[in-house]
Amino acid sequence: MNKFTIQQLQQMRESEDRVEFKAGEGGNVSYDGRGKTNPKDRRRCILGYVIALCNEGGGRLVIGMHDNFPHRVTGTRQAQDAIGQLESDIYRDTTIRPEIYELYDEENRRVLVIEVPSRPIGKVFKFEDVPLMRVGEELKPMSDAMYLKILQESEPDFSEKVYKSINSI
């Protein structure tokens, strides 16, 4: 996956570039929404954003940058010295395998980037049994129409192409 620089991230737009920015100054972005009673608030966590981004074709969650454009660096201690553990936890809890890396600005403030792959064809990921997608500043349940459309996807049929190539040998 292409690793972005802080300067490139600062110029990205959340919707257009499939990126979500969180300030997370103290490393305070919840991993799984635990401790919050409102489902809307529980979804606004690392797992919720990873699932929504994956459902939308992939993207990135950037922790340590303000979400107002142009995105200024705030720095974060999120997953400090525990990037491998965060990758393992996300995979264990979702089967999504992100690539996670950190960047530092000229003032040595740390930014954590979680690169989220696209979902496999015909697969929808759920958080607390709810298929999520990003809508503006919120994580919302996926519409029934979108959910059905994804479930009806199928792999392209390459059998005719394979048959022709084998017979041409």
Side-chain angles (χ1 to χ4, degrees):
M1 225 174 232
N2 183 25
K3 291 185 178 181
F4 290 92
T5 66
I6 287 176
Q7 292 75 22
Q8 288 171 317
L9 292 170
Q10 287 175 316
Q11 298 308 310
M12 290 184 173
R13 303 281 183 174
E14 285 190 321
S15 295
E16 296 89 339
D17 296 311
R18 294 191 317 227
V19 61
E20 184 68 39
F21 292 95
K22 296 291 167 205
E25 292 105 334
N28 59 355
V29 179
S30 172
Y31 171 72
D32 60 5
R34 219 173 278 176
K36 298 180 180 174
T37 55
N38 184 334
K40 177 181 169 185
D41 295 332
R42 277 196 311 273
R43 291 179 193 136
R44 295 177 65 109
C45 63
I46 290 173
L47 284 182
Y49 285 108
V50 165
I51 287 169
L53 286 164
C54 188
N55 283 339
E56 294 172 18
R60 62 208 48 82
L61 173 60
V62 178
I63 303 173
M65 293 181 79
H66 200 274
D67 65 347
N68 290 339
F69 186 85
H71 313 285
R72 65 178 172 78
V73 175
T74 58
T76 187
R77 290 191 311 270
Q78 193 84 38
Q80 185 88 39
D81 301 319
I83 289 176
Q85 185 62 53
L86 180 58
E87 285 177 345
S88 296
D89 291 346
I90 290 170
Y91 183 75
R92 177 198 65 220
D93 295 336
T94 65
T95 70
I96 297 168
R97 188 171 181 190
E99 180 181 338
I100 303 176
Y101 57 93
E102 53 193 5
L103 302 169
Y104 291 88
D105 72 357
E106 61 281 345
E107 296 177 36
N108 209 33
R109 292 178 295 192
R110 180 174 169 269
V111 173
L112 186 69
V113 181
I114 303 172
E115 294 280 352
V116 180
S118 180
R119 64 177 174 70
I121 292 174
K123 171 96 173 150
V124 176
F125 289 93
K126 297 178 181 179
F127 178 76
E128 296 180 340
D129 290 326
V130 177
L132 292 180
M133 58 190 286
R134 293 180 317 143
V135 179
E137 293 293 315
E138 296 185 48
L139 293 178
K140 298 249 186 202
M142 187 177 287
S143 70
D144 291 341
M146 177 64 77
Y147 187 62
L148 184 60
K149 179 181 176 187
I150 291 171
L151 292 178
Q152 292 175 338
E153 290 175 345
S154 62
E155 295 285 343
D157 183 7
F158 295 110
S159 58
E160 186 176 324
K161 216 177 203 181
V162 171
Y163 179 76
K164 285 180 181 178
S165 68
I166 290 172
N167 287 330
S168 67
I169 297 177

